Every structure is written in structure tokens, then in C-alpha cells.
Amino acid sequence: MKPRRSILSVPGHLEKMHRKAAGSAADVIMLDLEDSVPVEAKSSARSQIVRSLLNQDWGEKVVTVRINSLDTPFAYRDLLETAEAAGHRLNAVVVPKVDHPGDIHFVSRMLDGIEMEKGITARIGVEASIETARGMEGVSEIARASERLVTLVFGIADYSASVEARLVSISGHGESEAALYPGDRWHFPLSRLVMAAKANGLQAIDAPYGNFKDMEGLRESGLKSCALGCNGKWAIHPGQIDILNQVFSPSREDIDRAVKVLEAFEDARSVGRGAVAVEGRMVDQATVRMARQLYEQASHLKMV
Ligand code: COA
Ligand code: MG
């Protein structure tokens, strides 16, 4: 699977931002039809997204479209118009506020038909944004709903609204949290989502960080979600991309440590040991699995 360290959300109706996004270092560009697009611009945003998908040079980037949630009058047209006209340029459809596996079945079946009708051979993926109490409760069933699924995404602001958690910052996207709760108040739902994603071979993606001028806050928030097993995090501003790419890539130090573990373990195995001490720490096969994973990630990112 392609890396999804940084996912830049771009309002669907703003062509200038599409050009800027195409030239950015984000792994994924998500052209948005949902919350960053006002109701009166939904229709023009669809046409703009189709034009951008067809005409913009996206290079190696993954390009996705976020449709409106299925309980709105916009969603079916979002899906139909963008996938019919430009489905061969579309890597995945992001479905917001997924409450139930049926939401994914619906999108998936629609895409089956569109792909057949239009002769699209590269399967269009589906990304499920989990941002309601109901969606989080059934996250494992959602994660198993379709072969098309590639990621689960945590939608922090809508999730907060859904569980009636107090708003503690201007944007509600992950800042100033410590002021209200002594710990990380999203630890449980985010971990729950990561578990469901990884049990089903999906990538887990964290919500964006709303204060786009606070780079240290962004780094800290990204490091926390990376530590829990997230593969990447949404960005709402191009200024956030470099930090996310850095945070979700192994560091030189991480790679050196992994190599040391792998080498020590090879030596241990040759003398019939299953566990061995490296720099005063126990290394066993579980450590080796983590080291191997990190090395594979680094090699995928062409860092080794
Ligand atoms: N994608 C692409 N380009 C973006 C961008 C984005 N998400 N956000 C800002 N830019 C561009 C601006 O067009 C501007 O380009 P320019 O220098 O060529 O004029 C540049 O980056 C600097 O923008 P800036 O002035 O700092 O931002 P702003 O104050 O105008 O807007 C936001 C701030 C948050 C409103 C804006 O970044 C945005 O709309 N983000 C996306 C929101 C979104 O997608 N929400 C839904 C997902 S949660
Ligand atoms: Mg949302």
C-alpha cells in the first residue's frame, strides 16, 4: 500500500488550492465536497473536482474525493458525477460519518456499477471516516465491510460533537486538549480505530490538527498518533505537510536501531538463542518483528 503520512484536505470548489496541492509534498490529496464546501457551491465543486482530476498533474500522489455523508441530498450525486467522469483518475472515495457497514456496502455497490459501465480497471478504493458514536461502536464491522476499504480515518471534531464532548479550542481539531482532561481524551477511540483497521489490513489515519500555525502542537499530536499505530494524519494547510511526513517516517536513528536489532538477532540465532541482550535490553522475536516492520517501511520510503 502507498504511504499515507500526510493527507491534505483541499476545498473542492477552490481551483487555485488544487494547483497548490498538486505541487505540494503531501502523500495524499483529498479533494473535499463535504464540510469545507458551502451548500451553494456543492454543484460547482463537483465540476471543479472532475476538471482537476482530469487535467491536473498529480504525479505519484494518491488522489481521493470526500463525498458528503449519505444522509444528505448531495452524497449520491457526489459519487456518481465524480466517479463516472473521472473514476479512472481517482484512487479512493472518502465516506464521512460512516455509521454502519451498510454505508460502505452502498458506496461499494455504486462503484461496482460505475466501474463496469465506464470500463475502469483500477479498482477505486473506499476510506471510512469514523466520526460518530455509532460508527465507533461498530468500527470492527465497518472495517470488514468491503474489499475496497483501504483506510479508517478518525474524525475528531464530529466525533466530539457526537459524544457531546466539550469544545476546548476554536477549531475543535485536537488542540488545547490538556486544559480539560489530564491525559489524552481521544486515546480510547483512536486506539479502538487503529485496532479495527490493523485487524483488517487497513491503514489508520488520524484527524487534522486545527491550529495550523502551531507546529510544535502538530508535531506532538502526530507523534502521539504515530505511537498508537496510525500511519498518517490529515492536514488542513500546506504548512503542516513537512512535519507530518517527518513524524510518520522512521528517523535515521530508528533505522540504525532496527538494523542493530536484526543483526544481533541473526547472531543470537546462529548460537541457538531465542532472546538476546542488546545494550542491556532484551531483544526477542517480538522485538525483531517490530524492527523488521520499521525496516520495511524505511525501504518502502526508499530510505535504505
Ligand atoms: N490546500 C491547498 N492550498 C491551501 C490550503 C489547502 N488546504 N490551505 C491554504 N492553502 C494555500 C492558500 O491558497 C494560500 O496560497 P497562496 O499563497 O498561493 O495564496 C496559501 O496556502 C496560504 O494560505 P493561508 O493564507 O495561510 O490560509 P488561509 O488563512 O487563507 O486559510 C484555512 C486557512 C484553514 C481556511 C485553509 O487552509 C483551508 O481552507 N483549509 C482546508 C480546510 C478543509 O479542508 N477542511 C475540511 C477538512 S477537516
Ligand atoms: Mg467531519
Side-chain angles (χ1 to χ4, degrees):
M1 220 184 264
K2 281 199 161 188
R4 280 175 158 81
R5 298 167 300 178
S6 51
I7 299 96
L8 179 63
S9 172
V10 191
H13 57 311
L14 302 179
E15 199 261 343
K16 182 176 150 250
M17 286 200 188
H18 297 194
R19 269 182 280 132
K20 186 124 185 152
S24 77
D27 287 338
V28 182
I29 303 301
M30 184 186 81
L31 301 170
D32 187 29
L33 284 165
E34 202 209 14
D35 285 353
S36 68
V37 178
V39 166
E40 60 279 11
K42 297 289 185 193
S43 174
S44 64
R46 287 184 201 120
S47 319
Q48 180 54 58
I49 285 179
V50 167
R51 279 196 298 279
S52 292
L53 282 169
L54 296 178
N55 303 327
Q56 200 70 243
D57 179 6
W58 299 104
E60 289 296 296
K61 290 187 193 321
V62 170
V63 186
T64 67
V65 170
R66 179 167 71 166
I67 62 172
N68 285 277
S69 59
L70 299 178
D71 58 354
T72 66
F74 312 115
Y76 78 97
R77 274 196 190 284
D78 294 344
L79 189 58
L80 202 64
E81 288 185 20
T82 54
E84 267 199 344
H88 58 293
R89 305 296 298 272
L90 184 57
N91 293 105
V93 171
V94 181
V95 188
K97 301 182 182 68
V98 176
D99 267 351
H100 188 268
D103 294 347
I104 301 299
H105 296 154
F106 170 75
V107 171
S108 194
R109 288 303 241 172
M110 286 277 286
L111 290 174
D112 288 347
I114 295 168
E115 283 175 355
M116 283 190 280
E117 159 71 9
K118 295 292 169 190
I120 297 167
T121 48
R123 184 164 69 182
I124 301 170
V126 173
E127 309 199 17
S129 183
I130 307 297
E131 44 189 334
T132 61
R134 182 169 293 170
M136 193 60 78
E137 190 185 38
V139 65
S140 296
E141 288 71 41
I142 291 168
R144 285 192 279 274
S146 166
E147 291 282 303
R148 287 185 188 272
L149 276 170
V150 280
T151 73
L152 297 183
V153 181
F154 182 46
I156 192 171
D158 278 302
Y159 185 75
S160 305
S162 173
V163 300
E164 301 181 347
R166 181 74 50 88
L167 178 69
V168 292
S169 64
I170 295 278
S171 78
H173 282 86
E175 331 133 48
S176 307
E177 300 284 349
L180 195 70
Y181 186 84
D184 180 350
R185 66 175 172 152
W186 305 120
H187 174 266
F188 170 69
L190 190 56
S191 272
R192 183 67 195 85
L193 178 145
V194 170
M195 190 202 294
K198 299 305 163 89
N200 292 283
L202 310 180
Q203 291 194 345
I205 307 296
D206 191 21
Y209 187 76
N211 183 349
F212 58 89
K213 302 215 188 280
D214 174 10
M215 295 305 158
E216 265 326 293
L218 171 70
R219 184 185 300 278
E220 202 180 302
S221 169
L223 282 170
K224 269 200 227 167
S225 49
C226 184
L228 289 180
C230 286
N231 302 88
K233 188 170 169 69
W234 279 8
I236 41 130
H237 192 278
Q240 298 183 312
I241 294 167
D242 287 347
I243 288 186
L244 294 182
N245 285 347
Q246 215 179 67
V247 163
F248 288 95
S249 302
S251 66
R252 202 65 257 163
E253 205 184 348
D254 295 334
I255 298 169
D256 291 347
R257 195 183 309 116
V259 169
K260 193 176 283 179
V261 166
L262 293 172
E263 286 174 356
F265 199 70
E266 270 311 303
D267 292 347
R269 254 201 351 199
S270 66
V271 293
R273 298 278 297 266
V276 65
V278 178
E279 294 177 0
R281 273 86 156 189
M282 187 274 288
V283 165
D284 68 359
Q285 305 203 30
T287 329
V288 169
R289 278 191 280 276
M290 290 167 77
R292 213 170 268 143
Q293 219 167 48
L294 190 128
Y295 192 83
E296 275 167 21
Q297 193 197 0
S299 110
H300 205 63
L301 293 168
K302 301 188 172 55
M303 295 175 76
V304 287

